């Protein structure tokens, strides 16, 4: 038995609970957002063996827990459609009901057949489809035979996996799941506490026959308290650069501006912050931070706004002969476009960048991080109205 197993395999006797809690605190400190049962739990139940005698009852027992804090969805889709369903529902917990084997495979429906896939790879697929996933319950025989590798397949936020080491009776599987979720949706302070309660209840009936175990993975993110102080500062620094400060009419290099916008897209995907002058900046941060649920959702929307600013820049500079914006804009593209049209296009680039700044400021509001200033429009309405109307 390795060290992780000694920490995570919970006792069957109630009088060992206190000591085991001390071990869990000292060795496996989970992020607060995993242990906080005040947050909405979204459970996706995937039924892969409806013929099991207690499968329907197990599903019903979980569905009955639906509430303002506990959302449940059940499905029996085929394997090829699972990621689509997961990404649409974005579960925090994935619950599998079906068969497993001693080789670490779970049996899933695919094209009218039942196919065995490695449980680690199945969890990895689900985790990739839902950044919010923090818990997996594999209700079936031999479902955690792969041990800690199962938990390591979760997102960088860490989490937990529950399953069985050997075969399990249908009635025990249903009973254990019902007790676990009932406590998790009620007074439990963590998934581990809910597991311990379910284990103790099951032991009173099945004694030493209970094969369930829980595995946990350390969070690869910094502590929530630390991340909340730093991630907003890091996001702000990504945009604290001339590319999001200088009006278009003052821009000295269109190429540098285009490169800077591409650098921003790069930072939102990797955490690596590059600058025009110094290369990779000390403002870079771990890419795993981008997987935190709030930041991940923010980044998806922000990338679209940056892309819109890039498109506006490309449109505004089509046909230009030089690499800078002339203050007069006369013959900027060889006299093919009116001065007023150029002014409007450059103002649009400023506006699109300001939309990015507004989204960043909305994220960092009330986080003790100073707001980013808006970009002044390159041309006032009066200047646009008085500009040349002909090329």
């Amino acid at each position: 038995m390795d060290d992780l197993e000694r920490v995570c395999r919970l006792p069957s006797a109630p009088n060992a609970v206190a000591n085991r809690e001390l071990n869990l605190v000292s060795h496996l400190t989970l992020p607060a957002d995993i242990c906080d049962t005040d947050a909405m739990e979204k459970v996706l139940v995937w039924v892969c063996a409806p013929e099991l005698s207690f499968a329907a009852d197990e599903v019903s027992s979980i569905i009955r827990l639906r509430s303002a804090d506990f959302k449940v969805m059940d499905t029996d889709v085929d394997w090829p459609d699972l990621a689509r369903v997961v990404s649409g529902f974005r579960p925090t917990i994935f619950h599998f009901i079906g068969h497993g084997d001693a080789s670490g495979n779970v049996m899933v429906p695919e094209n009218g057949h039942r196919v065995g896939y490695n449980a680690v790879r199945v969890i990895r697929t689900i985790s990739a489809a839902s950044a919010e996933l923090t818990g997996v319950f594999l209700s079936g025989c031999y479902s955690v035979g792969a041990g800690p590798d199962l938990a390591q397949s979760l997102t960088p936020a860490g989490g937990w996996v529950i399953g069985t080491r050997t075969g399990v009776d249908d009635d025990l599987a249903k009973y254990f799941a019902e007790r676990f979720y009932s406590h998790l949706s009620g007074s439990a302070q963590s998934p581990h506490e809910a597991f311990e309660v379910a284990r103790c209840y099951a032991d009173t009936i099945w004694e030493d026959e209970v094969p369930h175990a829980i595995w946990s993975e350390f969070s690869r993110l910094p502590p929530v308290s630390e991340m909340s102080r730093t991630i907003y500062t890091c996001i702000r620094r990504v945009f604290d650069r001339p590319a999001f400060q200088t009006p278009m009419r003052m821009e000295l290099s269109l190429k540098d501006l285009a490169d800077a916008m591409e650098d921003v897209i790069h930072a939102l995907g990797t955490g690596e912050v590059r600058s025009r002058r110094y290369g990779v900046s000390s403002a870079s941060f771990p890419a795993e931070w981008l997987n935190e649920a709030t930041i991940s959702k923010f980044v998806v929307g922000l990338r679209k706004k940056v892309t819109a600013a890039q498109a506006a820049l490309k449109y505004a500079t089509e046909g230009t002969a030089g690499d800078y914006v002339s203050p007069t804009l006369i013959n900027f593209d060889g006299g093919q476009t009116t001065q007023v049209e150029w002014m409007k296009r450059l103002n649009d680039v400023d506006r699109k960048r300001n939309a990015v700044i507004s989204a960043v400021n909305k994220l960092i509001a009330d986080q003790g991080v100073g707001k980013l200033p808006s970009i002044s429009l390159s041309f006032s309405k009066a200047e646009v109205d008085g500009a040349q109307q002909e090329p």
Side-chain angles (χ1 to χ4, degrees), residues 42-118:
K42 297 177 67 178
V43 186
L44 178 62
V45 183
W46 191 29
V47 184
C48 293
E51 77 282 356
L52 289 171
S53 59
F54 282 88
D57 289 340
E58 187 169 327
V59 174
S60 297
S61 68
I62 300 174
I63 290 177
R64 282 197 299 271
L65 297 174
R66 283 175 175 164
S67 66
D69 300 316
F70 209 81
K71 189 173 182 179
V72 182
M73 172 181 170
D74 64 295
T75 183
D76 58 356
V77 297
D78 273 13
W79 165 251
D81 296 320
L82 180 63
R84 175 182 55 79
V85 174
V86 170
S87 62
F89 185 63
R90 311 291 286 185
T92 59
I93 298 173
F94 178 80
H95 186 91
F96 166 89
I97 298 177
H99 299 285
D101 63 31
S103 298
N105 298 317
V106 291
M107 309 305 293
V108 305
E110 184 174 8
N111 299 323
H113 301 283
R114 189 166 287 164
V115 181
Y117 285 124
N118 181 274

Side-chain angles (χ1 to χ4, degrees), residues 6-26:
R6 276 193 288 272
V7 173
C8 294
R9 178 137 169 88
L10 299 179
S12 58
N15 59 10
V17 169
N19 290 334
R20 184 62 62 186
E21 284 181 345
L22 293 176
N23 286 337
L24 286 170
V25 169
S26 61

